[in-house]
Amino acid sequence: EQGAEIELDTVTGISGEAGHITPADDAMWHAAVVGSGSYVMEGVGNSCELVVATANQIAINSGLMLLQGRWVAFEGQTAVAIESGTSGQFRRDCIYVRRSLDSVTMHDVYELLVLRGQSASSAAAAMRGTPEYASNSLFEGSDTVDIPIAEVLIEGVAPTASYIIGSVPCYPELVERML
């Protein structure tokens, strides 16, 4: 019998290496099952419901998100500040999650941030002005990645918020749909 030796990495098998399953391995598994994008997981906690808490604050309720294969848990309510709008003006802000790698501890660090859009005289003009963010990919090995998850349209001084990422059912429902 002839064959060629190939280099494979056993992820869930016995490899003799302590702690050989990495977060990147786990992320690839989740991406294979759900998709490589970013999603709100339905039916967990409060499904990360977006809430306009005040004219200057958007909150995300408890739940799970899958961000490029990585689980991110929102425990309780997490809020971000947005700048006040101006009467007669429109603006589109972007809420995003920044994932970075602490170079000392080598731990993931997650921040919820807001990128302010440009003011415009109409909602259509405000929607055309997309705020810039770092669109790197964790799957390509980037240490810092900005993942846009929601947009806030501010009409005058009144904000509304909506997700720009999809949602998927939690795993038991996914499995049921696949059968």
Side-chain angles (χ1 to χ4, degrees), residues 45-121:
N46 289 310
S47 299
C48 293
E49 175 190 22
L50 281 172
V51 177
V52 177
T54 70
N56 298 99
Q57 193 175 64
I58 305 296
I60 298 177
N61 281 331
S62 67
L64 289 176
M65 287 187 188
L66 191 60
L67 304 175
Q68 294 185 5
R70 272 67 172 185
W71 289 110
V72 177
F74 286 82
E75 298 172 353
Q77 192 177 71
T78 305
V80 292
I82 57 170
E83 290 184 31
S84 294
T86 305
S87 183
Q89 293 288 301
F90 296 82
R91 192 178 78 232
R92 178 178 153 201
D93 291 355
C94 179
I95 298 174
Y96 64 99
V97 174
R98 172 170 288 160
R99 182 274 190 180
S100 57
L101 186 64
D102 184 300
S103 61
V104 175
T105 65
M106 299 306 289
H107 292 169
D108 289 347
V109 177
Y110 288 90
E111 300 173 86
L112 191 61
L113 303 167
V114 177
L115 191 57
R116 186 185 188 281
Q118 297 294 317
S119 293
S121 59

